[in-house]
Each structure stands twice: as structure tokens, then as C-alpha cells.
Amino acid sequence: MTTVFDRPHALTDVPMHYCPGCGHGIIHRLVAEAIDSLGIEGTTVGVASVGCSVFAYNYFNVDMVQAAHGRAPAVATGVKRARPENIVFTYQGDGDLAAIGTAETVHAAARGENITVIFVNNAIYGMTGGQMAPTSLPGQVTQTSPYGRDVKTVGYPVKICEMLSQLDGPAYIERVAINSVKNIRAAGRAIKKAFRYQTEGKGFSLIEVVSTCPTNWGMTPAKAMKWAEENMIPYYPLGVYKDKYAGDAAKA
Amino acid sequence: MSEKVLMKGNEAIAEAAISCGCRHYFGYPITPQTEIAAYMAKRMPKIGGTFLQAESEIAAVNMVIGAASAGVRVMTSSSSPGVSLKSEGISYMAGCDLPALIVNVQRGGPGLGGIQPSQSDYFQATRGGGHGDYHLLVLAPASVQEMAAMTVRAFDLADKYRMPCMLLADGTMGQMMEPVELGESTGGTVDKPWALTGTGMKRPHNIINSLSLTPDELERWNVDRYERYAKIERDEPMYEEYLCDDAEIVVVGFGIAARVAKNAVNAARAEGIKAGMFRPITLWPFPKKAMFERAKTAGAFISVELSMGQMIEDIELAIRCTRPVTLCSRVGGMIPSPAEVKKSIEDAHEKLEGRN
Amino acid sequence: MTKNILIAGFGGQGVLFTGKFLAYAALLEDRQLSWLPSYGPEMRGGTCNCSVIISDEPVGSPIVTEPDILIAMNRPSLDKFEKAVVPGGEIYIDSSLVDRKPERTDVKVYSLPATALSTEKGFDGIANMILLGAVIEKSGVIDKSSIPAAMSKVVSAKHKDLYDYNIKAIELGCESI
């Protein structure tokens, strides 16, 4: 019998705590598949952040450290500087990466730190129960923006890919999504490329994954995917924002 | 033995750290400890080490967490306001049982305070500083030679007990130069099977973490940690006594305050007052037992501090309030003079005489 | 014997360097010592002082509050520290920059127009070393034979010209006092 579908080796065989329909399950799998296909499980060290994905340390079958809220890129920097031969990635949500950890994110990128950042943007603070995130859309209703995000008083969402791509440091920045099979496959390719860049010593890469939060958005998983497609993606356009080595494959 | 060289206290810390195998330094500039960063910036690239000036103290301490997680000897240094910023990370380090060295070359506070010497971070250092139940090992050197020796000891103790260790100095200790003899290079030899090195596909994955949403599990972690702390309180207190055997009045001070106290004790002795000096070298664990023993022979204690009176509480606790303890202190960057300490000794002496 | 030395002047006058030289000389003489600078944002032009203690005993407090030797390189330094000098102590003054005489009568005062001499004799910028020569000559706080070795500790071997220049300035101070 041929196995056509299996759990990636880089994922542990434990039940995840994520809500039904949550995007984290898909994104975890894409990260694990990338690790498997590059054969780097034995040398990879992951940094879990604070938020729904805090327990990522239980799910990835690699050495893991759990960082304080927003500090994952700094912790990853420490690991990478101590063990440059290891592959180091962070897995962060939008509150963690784009609010409390903005400084760590920007400066790890500016340094061109040779790490891979997986940034899950679902436009809400999930673990604390659905508060407004730095990436919540204008008008979006959350627990702390009950009348909709009013840009006049709380300002506009932070577009991380657009912002970081202005820096000279990063090697590769791309925004992907998981709202369709096609987009999931593209996201997998981007994540794998980000890890591959690290193995090649090319420097900082960040993949922003536009994801969903059916529970805190108050939608069914299917409707959440549709909402992401109709509301998030127009505001957060998908695509490669920076690739220092884009021409290399063509040249080679 | 190597030859004696003149070094600033801050430089002695840096060189001693390198001598005992520290190859990773993460910091952020702040007076009066920046010489440590400057020294590391110069030396580390030449010996294959890492010097990284972080974007903030917060980032620096988290880089330390990363490197400590990876199993290497690593340190950061700062001064009072910067250490407050690092306190979140230090709490995580304690919760993750990570060994590392944090140097605090104290300056006056609170707030931005000043840049002159102070010891007003005593509570912050000895009570943990951040959230949660935890301690740091806290060493208080009183000479440039000790700045070097205590740095090495701090790394050893941190590795031995898997916990963060703090060197608590002040602007004077950091800025002064004295002859120092640096020991032979040593390296950390402690095995760290818990470290994040990559599984190599040969073992289950290691997890470094301070989170548990299961109360009984989190309680167990805390209780286990405090069992380790109890062992440290039993085995690791360090102190120096100077002319204490027949002393009626014992002056207690650490770091720069102890040096001033020593002058005052000598001056008081010259006038026939039996004074002595007790210098805690470990501030946590505080040398409680030795101090309690000393209270059996001494009549009164004086706490000399560059704070509004912080260590004085530990003295009172250590001697269980069996003797009067008075405070002789200056703050804000001021340092008590030997004459001021001598005056306190004379006052205490007078009171003792009055009582007899 | 313990000598508490306080060197004071403007930042940029070589206050710390003078102290460092004395500290190295003491180190080479195998004596106990400490060197403590004032520190702060005044890198150039502000007030600056430096405590040096040279002793046969371990040094207690490194802060010199009652100097045996005060080296005053400007007027504010004399104003600030004259009273602190111990009875019988010594005050060395760069009289080019200090326009008054000390009021104390219970101390020895040595005045030398070090800054004027430095300009006149071609030692621009190192009046401190000229004044230091006077200190060494009169106080004997360090041995004259320690001067060359101590200088090689504070002036890089790469700068032989600077080394000679500083040594000659000290010699000039020794002779002029």
C-alpha cells in the first residue's frame, strides 16, 4: 500500500489545542513539511511566542524555547548567534510580532539576522479572547473595538511586509494566505524557500500568513476563509515584497 | 600566576568573563557600565565570540535567554534603569532555569535618577526584581580583583544551579582601577543535556519553557526550585569579617560601602572603640547564619548603604532583631565618608556605654 | 605609609592621565593602589577630578576626601578642595591658571606656572606633566626611577615621540620647582 498522506515527521503526535477550523493547524503543517523536505529537523530550533501559538513547543518535533511576549526575534538571535550551524525560526502572531514586539521584529530584520520568521496574521488577539490587534481591519468589530476599529482614534493597521521591505537587512519577505488550496500550496512553497534561504546563509526572511480566527471572528470556519479572502487579502495584498536573491535562480 | 595589571572594574568583569569561556555578550549602552560593552566589542570579534549591541535592554536580555537556551556561557550588563527593563527577561530566565550572568553597575534612582554610584537596587536584586517567586544568586564584589573573581564564580554558580546570577556593583566599583591578577583561562565544563542544540534525530525534543496552565504542575516547578534555593542558602553564603572577634559594634556593608566602613573601623579602633566590619559577599543568599552568630558577641550593628536603607532589613532578619541596628547612608550618588561612618560608630558606642 | 592624592582640573587637561601615570608607577613599585575618576557627561571642558591612593597597606575607600596631596590645575579646583587637604599636606598649583594663593597656612604650597612653561618650552598641551614633575620632585610619592617604565605603560610604544615628549616635560617640572 502506498502512503499518500501522513503526519510530517517534524510534527509531534499529540492533539492540538487549537479551535476547530483555526489556521494554525494548516500553518504548523506547512512549517513541518518544509522542515521535513529540507531534512533539517535534527538541527532546527524553534522559538514559540505568546498568543494562541504559545504551545507550538509541544507540536514541533524540534528543540523549542518559549519566548516572552514579542521577544521571539531577540531570543532567536541569541540562539542563532550561539549556534550558527542550527536552523532557527520563530512562530509569532500579530499581537506578538506587530505590537509588543515591533522593535525586536524591525531590528532583527534590519540586522539581516539569519533566521526565519513565520508571522501569522489573523487580525485579532486570539488567546486573550478576541481583542483588537495591530492588524485588525478598519471597522473590524472586536472585544476592544466594539463599535468597529475607528481609525480616527486608534489609527490604522500595521502592514508588516510593506514596512520591513523598506529595510536593507531582510533577504526575503512574502505575504501568503491559507484561504484556498492554491494559496495553501503557495504558502508552503514560500515557507520552504524561507527556510532554504537560511540554510544558504542568505539572512532574514519573514513569511506573513494571512490566516483566520473563526472563534473570535464569530464565524464558521468556511465563512472565516471567505471573510479573509474578501476583507483581509484586499487590505493585505499577497506577493513577494522583497527577495534579494530573486534573480539568482535565473542566472544560475 | 599571571602578572598584575591595572584595570577598571568594568574591564576586569569583561576580561574575566572571557577567561572563563563566555563568548556571547548582548548589551545596550548605559552609564556607568559601558566600558564592559566597549571591551567586549573590541575583544569578541578577535576570539570568535559574539558582541551584539541590541536595540534595547529588553532585546538584549532576550538574546541572552536565546544563547543560554542554546547552552553557551552568556552575559549582559547594564545599570539600574536598564536592569529594570531586563527584569521581565530575568523572571523568564528564572522560570526557565537558565544560567546566565547579569551585571548591574548601579546608579542612583528611582526613575532616570543619576549616573553616580548607588546601591539602591538591593531589594530589586535580592528579591528577584521581576514577577513571580524566584531568586537570583547575587554577588557583591568590593575590589577590582573581586570584580574579576566574582564574575568567574557567578558563571560557575549559574551553571551549577541552573539559574541566573547577578553581579551587583556600583559606579565606583565599575570606574575605579586597581591592580588585578587574572586567573588562567577556564571554560564551563558543566554538561547541559537540556540545551537546545537540535535533536540530531537522536533524542526527544528539548523544550525550554516557563509556562504551565496546570496549577499543580506549576506549583511543583516552584517547589522544586525552592528546594534548590534552600540548598544554595545552606552551601553558598560568602562573607568577610574584619576585626569582628572582639567587636562591640559591627559595621555591615557591601561593595564600596564596605571599603568606606573599613576606613571608619580603623579610625574608631585608633580611638579605642572596638569596631569591626562584616561584609556580605553574597547578598542572596544573605550570610544569615554567620551574622546571627556574630550578634552573640556584638552589641550593636550599623548598616552602611548607598540607599535609604534596604540591606538593613536583612540584617535585622538575620540577627532576629536581637541587637539594635542603625543606618548610615547617603543616596542619589553620594557616598558616606569614613568620617560619617565613624560618627555612626561613635553614636552606637555611646548608646551601648549608656546602657551598661 | 599611605598617600591620598587628589588631582583636579578641567576635562581635557590630562587629570585622569596624570592619575593613571602615578597609578602605574605605584604598580611597578609593587605598592597597593587605587585610581578612581570622577565620571559624567563632561568629556571636555567640564570639571574633572581623580583620586589616587598609593599605600603599603591594602587600600580601603578609594575615594579621596582628605588629600595628603592636592594637584590643582585650575582655580575652581583650588576653591573646591583647598579646605579638604590634611594639615601638613601639600598643594601643587598651576599658577598660570590659578590667580590666587591658597589661604591655608598649615600646608606646604608649591606653585609652578606649568601652562606658561609648557607654551614657552614647546610642551603644548601637557602642562599636567610639568606639574607632575614638581609633585614627584617634592613629594617623593613615587620614585624617579619608576618614571620611564610607568610612561611606557601609559604611552603606547608606537608613539616613541610622545613618550620622549612626556618624559621631558616631567623632567622640566622636576627642575623648575
Side-chain angles (χ1 to χ4, degrees):
Chain A
M1 201 171 73
T2 317
T3 306
V4 293
F5 189 81
D6 203 358
R7 179 178 50 81
H9 193 268
L11 279 186
T12 54
D13 190 9
V14 295
M16 288 182 179
H17 73 287
Y18 298 115
C19 301
C22 171
H24 276 308
I26 298 169
I27 303 163
H28 276 34
R29 183 180 178 91
L30 295 178
V31 170
E33 282 176 352
I35 292 171
D36 277 8
S37 71
L38 292 167
I40 54 173
E41 184 188 310
T43 56
T44 297
V45 175
V47 184
S49 62
V50 170
C52 283
S53 60
V54 65
F55 291 116
Y57 57 77
N58 284 329
Y59 306 142
F60 289 111
N61 202 12
V62 300
D63 282 0
M64 295 287 296
V65 53
Q66 197 281 308
H69 204 192
R71 318 300 174 216
V75 172
T77 298
V79 174
K80 188 70 182 182
R81 296 294 177 120
R83 300 199 175 274
E85 68 283 7
N86 285 70
I87 300 304
V88 182
F89 76 97
T90 71
Y91 189 105
Q92 303 173 257
D94 41 52
D96 188 276
L97 182 139
I100 194 169
T102 313
E104 285 78 2
T105 305
V106 170
H107 285 274
R111 284 193 301 271
E113 205 67 54
N114 192 24
I115 59 172
T116 302
V117 174
I118 307 299
F119 168 36
V120 179
N121 178 4
N122 60 7
I124 205 144
Y125 280 78
M127 195 176 219
T128 44
Q131 294 79 29
M132 189 184 75
T135 53
S136 292
L137 297 178
Q140 189 177 336
V141 172
T142 72
Q143 198 187 62
T144 50
S145 57
Y147 310 110
R149 178 175 189 148
D150 179 1
V151 295
K152 286 203 292 292
T153 56
V154 299
Y156 290 87
V158 177
K159 295 180 174 181
I160 287 293
C161 288
E162 287 83 342
M163 198 169 98
L164 294 186
S165 60
Q166 301 307 307
L167 297 171
D168 292 336
Y172 172 43
I173 294 182
E174 181 167 354
R175 184 182 288 129
V176 297
I178 52 152
N179 62 307
S180 67
V181 173
K182 179 168 161 274
N183 279 346
I184 291 172
R185 290 173 68 90
R189 282 193 296 275
I191 290 170
K192 184 176 171 185
K193 181 170 158 188
F195 275 97
R196 181 166 58 77
Y197 268 28
Q198 186 181 160
T199 64
E200 293 165 356
K202 285 178 172 158
F204 184 88
S205 55
L206 178 143
I207 304 301
E208 175 175 342
V209 188
V210 173
S211 186
T212 62
C213 182
T215 300
N216 287 303
W217 289 359
M219 300 173 193
T220 62
K223 192 150 180 258
M225 289 295 189
K226 190 129 182 72
W227 195 86
E229 186 182 323
E230 289 171 358
N231 297 282
M232 297 246 330
I233 293 174
Y235 200 89
Y236 297 110
L238 308 186
V240 176
Y241 282 81
K242 178 163 187 156
D243 186 351
K244 263 191 193 170
Y245 303 92
D248 285 11
K251 273 182 244 155
Chain B
M1 275 293 186
S2 49
E3 73 168 322
K4 275 190 180 171
V5 292
L6 270 191
M7 271 185 153
K8 278 192 168 191
N10 285 335
E11 295 165 344
I13 288 173
E15 187 55 40
I18 289 168
S19 83
C20 73
C22 173
R23 290 292 178 277
H24 294 83
Y25 173 95
F26 302 96
Y28 187 82
I30 183 169
T31 306
Q33 61 77 49
T34 307
E35 289 85 359
I36 302 177
Y39 197 94
M40 290 302 196
K42 217 167 173 179
R43 289 276 277 129
M44 283 302 194
K46 303 214 163 161
I47 53 174
T50 296
F51 163 82
L52 189 59
Q53 181 172 322
E55 59 271 26
S56 66
E57 280 95 348
I58 298 169
V61 78
N62 281 281
M63 290 171 186
V64 169
I65 289 176
S69 299
V72 302
R73 282 198 156 174
V74 56
M75 70 176 286
T76 185
S77 62
S78 193
S79 181
S80 309
V83 174
S84 291
L85 280 167
K86 287 183 203 285
S87 294
E88 175 199 49
I90 296 171
S91 168
Y92 273 72
M93 252 185 248
C96 291
D97 299 314
L98 287 173
L101 171 64
I102 301 113
V103 177
N104 182 0
V105 183
Q106 298 168 91
R107 51 188 263 183
L112 197 50
I115 59 168
Q116 298 303 323
S118 170
Q119 296 181 330
S120 52
D121 302 344
Y122 180 90
F123 281 151
Q124 185 192 50
T126 57
R127 271 62 175 169
H131 60 282
D133 278 315
Y134 73 93
H135 279 293
L136 308 172
L137 274 150
V138 184
L139 303 178
S143 67
V144 175
Q145 184 68 57
E146 273 194 0
M147 291 284 252
M150 291 299 136
T151 297
V152 176
R153 184 158 180 82
F155 274 113
D156 288 344
L157 288 172
D159 278 347
K160 182 176 174 187
Y161 293 106
R162 257 189 91 175
M163 64 190 283
C165 198
M166 178 175 280
L167 202 75
L168 192 68
D170 65 78
T172 319
M173 300 309 309
Q175 295 295 325
M176 73 186 286
M177 279 206 306
E178 282 184 322
V180 55
E181 221 167 308
L182 291 160
E184 297 303 312
S185 292
T186 53
T189 50
V190 177
D191 197 25
K192 297 177 178 174
W194 48 264
L196 309 184
T197 57
T199 61
M201 313 297 277
K202 288 183 189 125
R203 57 161 172 79
H205 66 151
N206 283 342
I207 297 172
I208 289 175
N209 170 39
S210 58
L211 174 72
S212 173
L213 298 184
T214 317
D216 61 344
E217 182 183 54
L218 186 55
E219 180 183 55
R220 198 167 63 247
W221 291 357
N222 274 280
V223 170
D224 286 354
R225 198 167 291 123
Y226 269 70
E227 278 170 14
R228 204 176 343 139
Y229 291 166
K231 193 170 174 305
I232 295 167
E233 289 199 88
R234 192 189 66 214
D235 296 344
E236 304 296 349
M238 289 172 70
Y239 60 94
E240 179 201 351
E241 285 193 318
Y242 177 70
L243 305 178
C244 278
D245 285 346
D246 67 340
E248 291 168 355
I249 293 147
V250 171
V251 185
V252 185
F254 66 93
I256 183 65
R259 306 216 10 177
V260 175
K262 207 171 201 173
N263 286 24
V265 163
N266 288 337
R269 285 263 171 188
E271 289 177 14
I273 301 176
K274 286 182 178 168
M277 185 202 68
F278 187 107
R279 175 170 76 94
I281 299 172
T282 51
L283 301 180
W284 194 89
F286 197 72
K288 282 186 212 164
K289 206 174 147 209
M291 196 168 280
F292 183 66
E293 287 303 309
R294 186 45 67 205
K296 290 176 182 166
T297 58
F301 287 78
I302 298 166
S303 186
V304 183
E305 303 182 52
L306 278 65
S307 77
M308 291 302 290
Q310 300 189 15
M311 182 180 64
I312 190 169
E313 292 188 6
D314 278 343
I315 299 170
E316 284 169 338
L317 285 170
I319 66 170
R320 297 172 212 168
C321 296
T322 52
R323 295 285 180 266
V325 188
T326 51
L327 177 69
C328 173
S329 86
R330 296 295 299 270
V331 298
M334 300 301 291
I335 298 173
S337 68
E340 284 170 300
V341 179
K342 183 164 162 266
K343 175 76 172 50
S344 294
I345 295 173
E346 286 162 355
D347 291 347
H349 184 248
E350 212 167 283
K351 270 187 205 153
L352 274 186
E353 293 291 295
R355 195 186 307 159
N356 292 339
Chain C
M1 188 195 69
T2 299
K3 285 284 181 204
N4 294 300
I5 307 157
L6 188 64
I7 309 160
F10 293 123
Q13 272 188 308
V15 169
L16 303 186
F17 182 85
T18 307
K20 229 176 237 188
F21 177 87
L22 286 172
Y24 272 106
L27 178 75
L28 294 165
E29 291 175 12
D30 211 19
R31 305 186 63 198
Q32 308 275 353
L33 72 106
S34 67
W35 173 94
L36 178 71
S38 61
Y39 61 88
E42 312 97 344
M43 296 292 278
R44 297 283 181 273
T47 56
C48 174
N49 68 73
C50 173
S51 292
V52 177
I53 301 176
I54 300 176
S55 180
D56 297 318
E57 309 287 323
V59 176
S61 170
I63 307 149
V64 173
T65 46
E66 296 171 352
D68 300 298
I69 298 172
L70 170 66
I71 305 175
M73 297 197 194
N74 62 13
R75 168 82 189 256
S77 300
L78 183 67
D79 292 348
K80 190 169 177 190
F81 297 116
E82 181 183 348
K83 284 196 186 79
V85 178
V86 297
E90 300 160 36
I91 302 180
Y92 294 83
I93 293 171
D94 182 345
S95 53
S96 312
L97 299 178
V98 180
D99 58 359
R100 73 168 178 89
K101 291 194 166 18
E103 288 156 12
R104 294 273 300 267
T105 53
D106 60 343
V107 295
K108 288 178 215 132
V109 176
Y110 300 99
S111 288
L112 190 67
T115 298
L117 273 174
S118 70
T119 318
E120 198 178 300
K121 307 273 182 179
F123 293 103
D124 274 338
I126 54 168
N128 60 323
M129 297 318 272
I130 299 177
L131 196 57
L132 178 64
V135 175
I136 294 169
E137 180 70 27
K138 290 295 175 189
S139 71
V141 67
I142 60 156
D143 201 280
K144 274 190 186 172
S145 64
S146 308
I147 294 172
M151 189 60 74
S152 65
K153 290 279 184 188
V154 289
V155 177
S156 158
K158 279 182 281 183
H159 298 106
K160 176 83 174 101
D161 49 336
L162 269 182
Y163 173 93
D164 291 338
Y165 189 57
N166 278 284
I167 294 265
K168 285 193 179 122
I170 292 178
E171 284 168 356
L172 176 64
C174 291
E175 292 154 13
S176 307
I177 193 71

